[in-house]
Amino acid sequence: RVKWPYLVVPEALGPPDAAYASPLLQDVKVSLVYEPGAGVPRSRYTGVGILVTEFRGDIAPGYVGKLADAGTAIERLRVGPHPAIWLEGGPHFVLFRTPEGDFGEEVARLAGNTLLVQHGRLLVRIEGELERDRAVEIARSLVQP
């Protein structure tokens, strides 16, 4: 069901415990689910340890601040050559530019700490009860299987 040329998997986490494809606008998103375990607590938002979601799109940095609660810290950074945005501390939504140039919004739900990474034409969302440095470590380990 995935129409893009590749997925990325975080080597730092190993194979996911589950993987799901679900519709997102005219495309699909893939969610890799990692259950809680040693050093990975259960997220109060997702009910899993770490959730890595991938879909085609581009970060829309000018709009991130408008979709985050006042209690959410927003930091723009790079993970290797990839632009990224770290969101911490409060609820937020993810707005992105679709491959067609329109704006899309990922499922409107509360989310915990999140690192958004632009990995080529994929937007990768890493979320969980994670500290920034751990999320960046996971993002640095993204590889094509």
Side-chain angles (χ1 to χ4, degrees):
R1 293 176 28 191
V2 175
K3 299 175 187 173
W4 357 295
Y6 67 92
L7 292 172
V8 289
V9 176
E11 280 189 332
L13 298 176
D17 294 302
Y20 301 94
S22 55
L24 179 66
L25 301 173
Q26 292 84 25
D27 207 349
V28 67
K29 69 178 177 180
V30 173
S31 299
L32 306 177
V33 177
Y34 295 87
E35 293 298 331
V40 179
R42 183 174 304 279
S43 168
R44 65 180 180 229
Y45 298 108
T46 63
V48 301
I50 298 173
L51 183 62
V52 177
T53 307
E54 306 176 24
F55 49 92
R56 289 189 314 161
D58 295 315
I59 292 175
Y63 294 89
V64 173
K66 295 179 177 24
L67 295 173
D69 182 89
T72 302
I74 301 170
E75 178 186 357
R76 289 172 177 80
L77 60 143
R78 295 193 78 75
V79 176
H82 308 291
I85 298 174
W86 173 246
L87 300 134
E88 180 178 4
H92 61 270
F93 299 98
V94 175
L95 184 69
F96 61 96
R97 192 169 295 276
T98 68
E100 295 78 28
D102 300 320
F103 284 100
E105 180 183 325
E106 195 185 2
V107 176
R109 62 177 171 80
L110 292 176
N113 293 344
T114 301
L115 180 65
L116 298 170
V117 181
Q118 186 71 55
H119 198 281
R121 295 295 295 151
L122 289 181
L123 189 54
V124 181
R125 176 180 175 156
I126 301 167
E127 67 180 279
E129 300 297 320
L130 300 168
E131 296 296 323
R132 177 188 171 278
D133 290 346
R134 176 67 173 135
V136 168
E137 174 189 329
I138 292 167
R140 286 188 199 279
S141 78
L142 291 171
V143 296
Q144 292 176 233

